[in-house]
Amino acid sequence: MSRARIFIIRLLINLNEEIFFYPRLKKIYDGINRNQKLNLLIDVGVNRGQSIRFFRKINPDIEIFGFEPNIRLFNNLINKKIKNLKIFNIGCSNISGELVFKENVIDESSTFEKINKDSKWLQKKAMIIGKEKDKLIKRTYKVNVVRLNEFIISNLTDRMIDVIKIDVEGHEHRVLDGLFGNHKSRIRFIQIEIHDDDLYENQNEFINNILKKNGFIEVFRVKHGFGNFYDLIYKNKYVKN
């Protein structure tokens, strides 16, 4: 029963996103793509490939570099042989090394971050899923992580990066902390998920400050159809868009 319930929950989440979230997001990127084509995406937190499918609707030929620490999801995407996708079974953070990955029964909720066990949102999720809140993490294991700064320097020398999308369940501030270097003038947009709930330590002010410090300004905000979280799109004010 638990597997069937989780399957139905995931189905409803995806349906909700397709109806409410992605149409709003598409209007934004259609406008951006008209002005200057989206050719290169870095997808941090690929999950099941939701953003890959979305951006390929904007530009079927877009080149994608993806990061997904969940080995099962990684292998599923590899087997699909998606055009122009280079995917890595590692995470992104503010260090290069290893971190403990907490794999959730709902893949979209897996994280590197410490979870607030007294969270009201955690309790609500547990009730919806039909499990005790301490049973939502089905396993933990070490995963290799890299600083995006180092990856970009090594793999994308002199390339213009149109979008960096970051959705890593509360770990977004650490990804940003490992991103910026001399290449920041080659990033046009950053799309990042932020939480306004009590599941993780709130780092929204840090996220806004580090982006602002590096020349990025918030230009769009899109709410998800469920939960209290948003995707924010920041524009690099030093790059012509």
Side-chain angles (χ1 to χ4, degrees), residues 6 8 19 32 41 54 57 105 117 133 170 177 183 185:
I6 289 171
I8 292 169
I19 293 172
I32 292 170
L41 164 72
F54 170 78
K57 289 178 182 176
V105 295
K117 293 182 179 179
K133 61 183 181 181
D177 199 30
H183 56 266
S185 61

Side-chain angles (χ1 to χ4, degrees), residues 21-48:
F21 177 72
Y22 283 115
R24 298 171 190 162
L25 197 63
K26 190 171 186 299
K27 286 182 181 179
I28 293 168
Y29 278 112
D30 280 342
I32 292 170
N33 194 56
R34 263 195 305 272
N35 295 332
Q36 189 173 336
K37 207 166 186 64
L38 300 176
N39 292 310
L40 179 56
L41 164 72
I42 295 179
D43 189 355
V44 184
V46 173
N47 196 250
R48 296 171 179 270

Side-chain angles (χ1 to χ4, degrees), residues 106-138:
I106 300 290
D107 295 320
E108 292 85 347
S109 296
S110 300
T111 185
F112 288 115
E113 282 298 299
K114 181 180 178 181
I115 299 168
N116 174 15
K117 293 182 179 179
D118 297 321
S119 163
K120 292 180 181 178
W121 177 234
L122 179 65
Q123 185 65 46
K124 185 176 181 180
K125 286 174 71 173
M127 182 180 66
I128 293 169
I129 294 168
K131 283 183 173 286
E132 296 294 326
K133 61 183 181 181
D134 59 351
K135 302 291 185 183
L136 294 180
I137 302 298
K138 62 181 180 181

Side-chain angles (χ1 to χ4, degrees), residues 210-238:
I210 193 171
L211 284 163
K212 185 177 179 181
K213 177 183 175 182
N214 285 280
F216 287 80
I217 54 173
E218 181 186 336
V219 287
F220 300 105
R221 177 177 292 229
V222 185
K223 189 180 186 304
H224 288 262
F226 60 95
N228 197 18
F229 50 99
Y230 305 76
D231 271 33
L232 275 54
I233 300 175
Y234 284 81
K235 173 185 174 182
N236 190 336
K237 64 182 181 181
Y238 297 118

Side-chain angles (χ1 to χ4, degrees), residues 6-226:
I6 289 171
F7 175 80
I8 292 169
I9 290 168
R10 181 175 290 119
L11 193 66
L12 291 173
I13 290 172
N14 290 338
L15 181 61
N16 190 292
E17 293 284 79
E18 290 297 328
I19 293 172
F20 294 104
F21 177 72
Y22 283 115
R24 298 171 190 162
L25 197 63
K26 190 171 186 299
K27 286 182 181 179
I28 293 168
Y29 278 112
D30 280 342
I32 292 170
N33 194 56
R34 263 195 305 272
N35 295 332
Q36 189 173 336
K37 207 166 186 64
L38 300 176
N39 292 310
L40 179 56
L41 164 72
I42 295 179
D43 189 355
V44 184
V46 173
N47 196 250
R48 296 171 179 270
Q50 299 95 316
S51 289
I52 291 171
R53 291 191 294 273
F54 170 78
F55 280 101
R56 290 192 71 214
K57 289 178 182 176
I58 306 296
N59 177 11
D61 297 317
I62 192 168
E63 186 177 0
I64 303 163
F65 291 81
F67 298 86
E68 178 49 56
N70 183 316
I71 184 65
R72 178 174 50 82
L73 297 182
F74 168 81
N75 286 332
N76 287 344
L77 288 161
I78 286 289
N79 291 335
K80 289 180 180 179
K81 298 180 179 178
I82 298 170
K83 178 183 175 182
N84 293 338
L85 171 64
K86 295 179 182 177
I87 187 168
F88 304 88
N89 186 213
I90 56 178
C92 295
S93 190
N94 57 351
I95 64 165
S96 290
E98 285 185 334
L99 289 175
V100 174
F101 186 61
K102 305 172 185 72
E103 187 178 328
N104 199 289
V105 295
I106 300 290
D107 295 320
E108 292 85 347
S109 296
S110 300
T111 185
F112 288 115
E113 282 298 299
K114 181 180 178 181
I115 299 168
N116 174 15
K117 293 182 179 179
D118 297 321
S119 163
K120 292 180 181 178
W121 177 234
L122 179 65
Q123 185 65 46
K124 185 176 181 180
K125 286 174 71 173
M127 182 180 66
I128 293 169
I129 294 168
K131 283 183 173 286
E132 296 294 326
K133 61 183 181 181
D134 59 351
K135 302 291 185 183
L136 294 180
I137 302 298
K138 62 181 180 181
R139 60 181 182 140
T140 62
Y141 46 92
K142 290 183 179 179
V143 170
N144 289 328
V145 294
V146 66
R147 290 169 53 91
L148 265 182
N149 178 41
E150 296 172 7
F151 178 86
I152 291 170
I153 290 170
S154 299
N155 297 276
L156 296 170
T157 306
D158 298 328
R159 296 283 305 276
M160 177 60 75
I161 302 163
D162 293 295
V163 182
I164 297 179
K165 186 230 87 181
I166 307 170
D167 179 359
V168 285
E169 283 298 302
H171 203 68
E172 288 82 3
H173 64 294
R174 301 195 190 277
V175 176
L176 287 177
D177 199 30
L179 168 62
F180 291 111
N182 294 332
H183 56 266
K184 63 187 177 186
S185 61
R186 295 189 285 109
I187 303 168
R188 292 176 61 205
F189 294 93
I190 293 176
Q191 177 185 330
I192 187 163
E193 183 181 276
I194 64 162
H195 286 249
D196 269 341
D197 53 50
D198 60 350
L199 190 57
Y200 310 108
E201 183 180 353
N202 191 305
Q203 297 289 345
N204 295 347
E205 185 176 353
F206 176 89
I207 288 170
N208 188 64
N209 287 342
I210 193 171
L211 284 163
K212 185 177 179 181
K213 177 183 175 182
N214 285 280
F216 287 80
I217 54 173
E218 181 186 336
V219 287
F220 300 105
R221 177 177 292 229
V222 185
K223 189 180 186 304
H224 288 262
F226 60 95

